[in-house]
Amino acid sequence: MVPLNHYLYLSAILFTIGAVGVFTRRNALIIYMCIELMLNAVNLTFIAFSKFLNNMDGHIFAFMIMTVAAAEAAVGLAIILAIFRNRETVNVDDINLMKG
Amino acid sequence: MEIIIPTINLASIYPEIVVTIFAVIVLLLHAFTPHHSPGGAGKGGDHLGYISFIGIAYATFLVFTQEGGTEYSFNGLWILDNYSRFFRLIFLLGTGLTILISVKYVKDEGINHGEYYSLILFATVGMMIMGGGADLITIFLGLELMSISLYVLAGYTRNRLTSNESSLKYFLLGSFATGFLLYGIALLYGATGTTNLKGISGFISESNFGNPILIMGMVLLVVGFGFKIASVPFHMWTPDVYEGAPSPITAFMSAGPKAAAFAAFARVFFEGLPSLQGVWVDLIWILAVLTMTVGNVIALVQNNIKRMLAYSSIAHAGYVLVAFVSANELGIGGILYYMLAYTFMNIGAFGIIIVVGGKGEKRVNVDDYTGLAYRHPVAAATMSLFLFSLAGIPPTAGFMGKFYIFSAAIKSGYIGLAIIGVINSVVSVYYYLRITVAMYMKEPESAVSGAESMPSLVFSTAMIIAMVIAAYGVLRMGIFPSAYIALAQQSHLSF
C-alpha cells in the first residue's frame, strides 16, 4: 500500500504549484485554473487522511469543496466574461485602473 | 450498523431560514413583476428593498426571542449561544442599514434588481452560518456562501470598469485565500481526525500538541482568516475592492463580512485551538501591529475617500486583533463591542459618501467635500460625528470601543501592544480630521472661483432613517455604553 506521506507530499507539491502559478501567470483564466489546482490538492489531502484515519468526515468535506468550487467557477467565469466584454482583455497586468 | 439520527432543531436556525426565504421571495418577486418599458428593469419601485428590510427586521425579532443558553444541534455542526446571537445582531444590523442606504442608489445607477437585494440577503445568511458554525464544515460553507455573493455584488455595476476590476480582484484573491484556509482545515483534520471544534480541542488537550502538521494547519488558518479580515500582509485586495465596488456594497463588506470573519476566526481559535494559544498569540501579535501601522500610515496619503476608508478599515481590523491577542473575557467582549460600534459608524460614514457621491459616484475625493458645511450643515455634522467616532474621540462609540480593547490588552500584560495601538489611533486622527477640516474650514470652491456650484444633496427617506439609526447608535454606545458592554460581556466564548 502506498504510505500516507506520499499522498501528502504529492498534494503539497500540487498546492505549491498552484500557489506559485497564481503569482506568476498573468491571464485571469489561468490564475483561476491554478486556484482550482490548489483546491484539488486540498481534496487529495482530505481523501488521503480520510482513508488512513478510517473516518468519513474527509470524504464529506471533499464533496463540499467540489460543490463550492463549481459554484465559484460559475461566478468567476461570469466575472471574467464581464470584464472581457468591457476591456477585451483578461490579462491582470492590464486591469489596473486603481492604484495607490 | 447502528444508524444515529441526529437531533434536528429547526428552532435554532429560524432567523437563517427567514432570511433565506425572504431572499428567494425578493428574487421571484422581481422575476414575476412585469417590466413594461425596455430597460425598465432598473426603474422598479422601492418595494424590493423594503421587503428585504422587513425580512431582516423579522429575523432580528426572532434572534431576540430565541431562548438563552448554549445549545448544540445538527449533530454538533451548529451551536446557538450568546456569542452567535450577538454576532447575528451585528450582521442583521449591518444588512438592514445597507439595504436602507441602497434604496436610492440602486435606482440612480439603474441596478434596481431583485438579485441585488437577494444576494445581500444570501450573504447575510452566510455570515450568520459562520457565526453559528461549531464545525469547520459549517464555517467553511457559510464563508463561501458569503464570499460568492460578495464577488457578484462587488461587480454589480457591470458597465463600470472599476467595478469589474474590483470584482475580479476580489474573486481571484478571495478564492486564493480560501485555498489556504481549506489546506489548513485539511491538515487540522489529518492531525486530529475530526473537523468538529470541540473534538479538535479535546484531541489536542489530551495528546501532545507538538505535531508539526497541526502547527502547519494552524498557521495556514491564520493566513486564510487573515485574508478575510484584511490584515497586513494579506490586505492587498482591500483598497482596490473597496474603491471599485458600489458604495453601499463597500459599506456592507466593511461591516458584516469583516465581523463574520472575526466571529469564525475567534470561534476556531478560542474553541478549537486553545491549547496552541502560546503559538498563535505571537503570530497574531505581529499581525496586529503590522495591520494597525500599515493601514493608518497608507491612509494618510489617500485622496479618494473610499480608498481612505478602506485603509482605515484595515487599521480597525488591527485594533480588533489587539483584543484578539488579549485573549481574555474582556478581549472577546471587546471584539463584539467594537464590531457593533464599527458597523454603526462605518455604514454611517458610507451613507454620507453615497449622498455626496451622487449619481455615478462622481464626487469621491476629499476635495469634493470642501465647504460642505456651508451648503449642507446637517450632512457635514453627521459625517463629522461618524469620522470622530472612527478616530476614537469621545463621546462616541469608537472611543469606548478602543478604550475597552486597550484596557483588555493592558489587563493581559500586553502593554507594548496597547501603546502601539494608542499611537496608531493618534495617527489616524490626522486623516479623519482632514475631511472635517475640508468640510468646515475651507470656503466652497464656487465662492472662490465662481465655478459650477456643488449640486444639492438629495437624502431619500430611507437614507435619513439609516443615518438617524447610525448616529443614534454611535452616540448611544458612546454616552451610555454600560448596557452594551454588559451584553458583550455576557456573550463571550466559554474557554
Side-chain angles (χ1 to χ4, degrees):
Chain A
M1 197 164 95
V2 185
L4 174 63
N5 278 354
H6 287 39
Y7 289 105
L8 295 187
Y9 288 136
L10 176 64
S11 58
I13 290 168
L14 285 177
F15 190 86
T16 316
I17 293 175
V20 170
V22 170
F23 286 111
T24 53
R25 303 308 291 256
R26 303 272 52 106
N27 184 311
L29 279 169
I30 310 247
I31 292 178
Y32 186 59
M33 284 159 67
C34 291
I35 291 170
E36 287 288 303
L37 186 63
M38 290 166 66
L39 294 183
N40 284 323
V42 173
N43 277 342
L44 181 60
T45 316
F46 266 118
I47 299 296
F49 276 133
S50 194
K51 167 87 179 137
F52 281 84
L53 292 168
N54 223 349
N55 172 316
M56 291 305 282
D57 290 5
H59 285 259
I60 308 283
F61 217 119
F63 275 116
M64 295 290 179
I65 294 176
M66 280 191 248
T67 320
V68 165
E72 234 174 33
V75 166
L77 293 178
I79 290 171
I80 293 174
L81 193 66
I83 208 162
F84 185 78
R85 280 194 181 166
N86 289 334
R87 302 284 297 271
E88 303 222 331
T89 176
V90 288
N91 186 323
V92 289
D93 283 339
D94 297 336
I95 303 170
N96 54 358
L97 288 173
M98 293 174 288
K99 271 194 182 151
Chain B
M1 190 181 147
E2 194 189 353
I3 294 173
I4 304 159
I5 301 193
T7 46
I8 291 181
N9 181 3
L10 286 180
S12 64
I13 55 167
Y14 270 156
E16 284 79 5
I17 294 176
V18 165
V19 179
T20 313
I21 289 175
F22 271 87
V24 177
I25 288 177
V26 171
L27 197 60
L28 290 180
L29 204 64
H30 183 249
F32 287 109
T33 317
H35 311 296
H36 296 294
S37 57
K43 298 182 180 64
D46 299 339
H47 60 282
L48 293 172
Y50 293 130
I51 290 170
S52 321
F53 189 76
I54 291 169
I56 293 295
Y58 185 45
T60 315
F61 169 74
L62 286 178
V63 173
F64 275 115
T65 54
Q66 274 176 335
E67 287 166 34
T70 304
E71 192 190 349
Y72 284 88
S73 50
F74 294 95
N75 216 1
L77 288 172
W78 183 256
I79 181 171
L80 181 68
D81 56 2
N82 286 334
Y83 178 80
S84 73
R85 270 186 213 102
F86 194 97
F87 265 111
R88 281 170 176 183
L89 292 179
I90 296 180
F91 306 146
L92 291 169
L93 174 77
T95 309
L97 290 176
T98 307
I99 289 171
L100 290 178
I101 63 176
S102 298
V103 170
K104 182 167 182 304
Y105 180 91
V106 291
K107 274 197 292 187
D108 286 351
E109 302 289 327
I111 52 168
N112 194 4
H113 306 147
E115 292 89 334
Y116 179 86
Y117 294 111
S118 183
L119 282 167
I120 288 184
L121 293 182
F122 277 125
T124 312
V125 178
M127 293 187 254
M128 290 160 83
I129 293 175
M130 282 171 83
D135 190 292
L136 291 169
I137 292 187
T138 332
I139 290 175
F140 164 69
L141 287 178
L143 179 80
E144 283 303 301
L145 179 56
M146 174 191 89
S147 302
I148 293 178
S149 308
L150 287 177
Y151 300 150
V152 183
L153 285 170
Y156 207 89
T157 43
R158 65 167 188 267
N159 294 321
R160 197 188 295 153
L161 294 179
T162 49
S163 179
N164 288 160
E165 186 177 328
S166 137
S167 175
L168 181 74
K169 283 179 176 164
Y170 195 24
F171 167 68
L172 288 178
L173 289 170
S175 23
F176 183 60
T178 304
F180 279 94
L181 190 74
L182 282 174
Y183 203 39
I185 293 175
L187 294 182
L188 223 55
Y189 167 68
T192 62
T194 175
T195 52
N196 193 294
L197 294 178
K198 277 271 175 270
I200 290 174
S201 75
F203 183 91
I204 300 175
S205 61
E206 61 193 44
S207 66
N208 71 331
F209 47 82
N211 188 346
I213 291 186
L214 191 63
I215 305 289
M216 188 70 195
M218 184 211 74
V219 173
L220 287 169
L221 278 182
V222 171
V223 173
F225 279 120
F227 259 103
K228 295 291 173 190
I229 60 169
S231 66
V232 178
F234 317 112
H235 68 291
M236 306 81 80
W237 57 275
T238 320
D240 289 351
V241 172
Y242 280 26
E243 184 185 341
S247 296
I249 299 305
T250 312
F252 183 58
M253 282 195 289
S254 64
K258 184 165 281 207
F262 269 113
F265 196 8
R267 167 95 69 193
V268 170
F269 278 71
F270 288 113
E271 279 201 345
L273 305 166
S275 322
L276 298 178
Q277 193 170 328
V279 187
W280 56 254
V281 155
D282 293 337
L283 264 180
I284 294 176
W285 192 95
I286 297 170
L287 279 190
V289 171
L290 279 177
T291 307
M292 285 188 291
T293 315
V294 172
N296 278 322
V297 169
I298 302 184
L300 292 176
V301 295
Q302 300 302 323
N303 279 322
N304 183 308
I305 194 161
K306 280 169 82 179
R307 211 174 169 82
M308 180 190 283
L309 284 186
Y311 281 107
S312 125
S313 134
I314 294 173
H316 284 277
Y319 302 136
V320 179
L321 283 176
V322 171
F324 204 104
V325 171
S326 319
N328 51 17
E329 288 175 14
L330 209 57
I332 303 276
I335 296 179
L336 294 163
Y337 186 87
Y338 204 81
M339 287 323 300
L340 182 61
Y342 188 67
T343 304
F344 278 122
M345 60 203 186
N346 214 40
I347 297 189
F350 270 102
I352 305 290
I353 290 177
I354 291 168
V355 171
V356 174
K359 197 175 171 181
E361 292 185 25
K362 291 196 184 67
R363 292 179 294 278
V364 287
N365 284 325
V366 176
D367 295 341
D368 297 320
Y369 287 75
T370 307
L372 188 70
Y374 295 88
R375 300 178 172 278
H376 308 284
V378 179
T382 320
M383 185 68 169
S384 306
L385 173 68
F386 296 133
L387 291 174
F388 284 153
S389 182
L390 284 166
I393 295 170
T396 55
F399 168 74
M400 281 315 298
K402 278 190 185 137
F403 179 74
Y404 200 2
I405 282 178
F406 295 139
S407 45
I410 288 169
K411 207 173 172 190
S412 297
Y414 293 98
I415 294 172
L417 191 61
I419 292 173
I420 296 172
V422 172
I423 291 173
N424 265 294
S425 187
V426 173
V427 170
S428 75
V429 172
Y430 172 79
Y431 59 85
Y432 292 125
L433 279 191
R434 209 176 122 208
I435 304 170
T436 314
V437 167
M439 288 192 298
Y440 281 91
M441 310 208 174
K442 289 183 188 162
E443 290 289 309
E445 297 243 320
S446 55
V448 183
S449 60
E452 184 193 353
S453 67
M454 185 186 276
S456 61
L457 305 184
V458 187
F459 280 89
S460 63
T461 320
M463 178 64 89
I464 293 172
I465 296 171
M467 290 302 99
V468 169
I469 296 174
Y472 174 78
V474 165
L475 287 174
R476 172 81 205 219
M477 284 183 75
I479 299 172
F480 306 107
S482 49
Y484 296 90
I485 287 180
L487 196 63
Q489 262 167 351
Q490 278 167 17
S491 309
H492 69 79
L493 288 166
S494 48
F495 286 92

